[in-house]
Amino acid sequence: MKIFVTLGFENFPFDRLIRAIDNGVGDRRISGDILIQTGHSLYPVRFCETKHFMRFDEIMSRFKDADIVVSHAGVGTTLLCLGLGKIPVIFPRQAKYREHVDDHQIQFARMLDDFAQRQRAAVAARGRPAAGFPRFARPARAM
């Protein structure tokens, strides 16, 4: 299984997400061919392949090849994933951890979740199975 973790191009570290992925691999809860695009993060990754920054064409190639995309809740990254038919696992940056200047990524994640719930309800009301619609993750609590 190919897993691509991307933090986007923010000027802020996002060690919380990298630590969660790296610890999951170290504890054998996550397995596969994993690449983390670490950006400005400082967490010393022990169990995954990393690249600090990637060209846009490299990122697009990783999106296309990935079975799973784990990402910050950036609008651009999320829309790129959805446009390629991928359902990203989003992990919002939070201002209280100095991962961004505000909590707009939490708001965006909640909006996506609300949209997905309305889509499932509309499909169910038409008598079709709603299983094909994703359930977006709730904003993460402190790790």
Side-chain angles (χ1 to χ4, degrees):
M1 177 164 305
K2 292 183 180 179
I3 301 172
F4 179 49
V5 181
T6 180
L7 309 184
F9 299 102
E10 302 294 339
N11 288 325
F12 301 94
F14 199 11
D15 293 341
R16 195 166 50 98
L17 173 55
I18 295 171
R19 183 182 322 108
I21 297 295
D22 197 46
N23 287 342
V25 173
D27 295 344
R28 298 178 190 226
R29 290 177 284 130
I30 301 172
S31 63
D33 175 14
I34 302 163
L35 174 67
I36 302 175
Q37 178 258 319
T38 59
H40 292 281
S41 297
L42 303 172
Y43 180 80
V45 178
R46 298 171 295 155
F47 303 108
C48 303
E49 179 186 352
T50 63
K51 280 186 121 176
H52 285 292
F53 295 99
M54 301 170 70
R55 293 186 325 268
F56 184 73
D57 62 313
E58 291 177 291
I59 289 174
M60 289 300 290
S61 177
R62 288 291 180 159
F63 279 162
K64 290 175 185 175
D65 291 343
D67 298 302
I68 298 173
V69 175
V70 179
S71 175
H72 70 137
V75 174
T77 303
T78 302
L79 292 177
L80 279 173
C81 286
L82 294 173
L84 293 169
K86 307 286 182 174
I87 306 295
V89 176
I90 58 173
F91 197 107
R93 293 174 180 265
Q94 295 185 40
K96 70 182 177 182
Y97 301 116
R98 298 183 178 176
E99 297 163 346
H100 217 301
V101 296
D102 59 25
D103 287 328
H104 72 277
Q105 289 196 359
I106 292 173
Q107 296 165 346
F108 180 64
R110 287 182 178 142
M111 182 200 71
L112 285 175
D113 188 53
D114 290 345
F115 175 77
Q117 287 183 45
R118 285 194 304 277
Q119 291 298 312
R120 285 192 307 276
V123 170
R126 289 193 300 264
R128 296 184 197 141
F133 286 92
R135 171 120 178 107
F136 292 97
R138 298 279 182 202
R141 286 179 273 164
M143 295 186 87

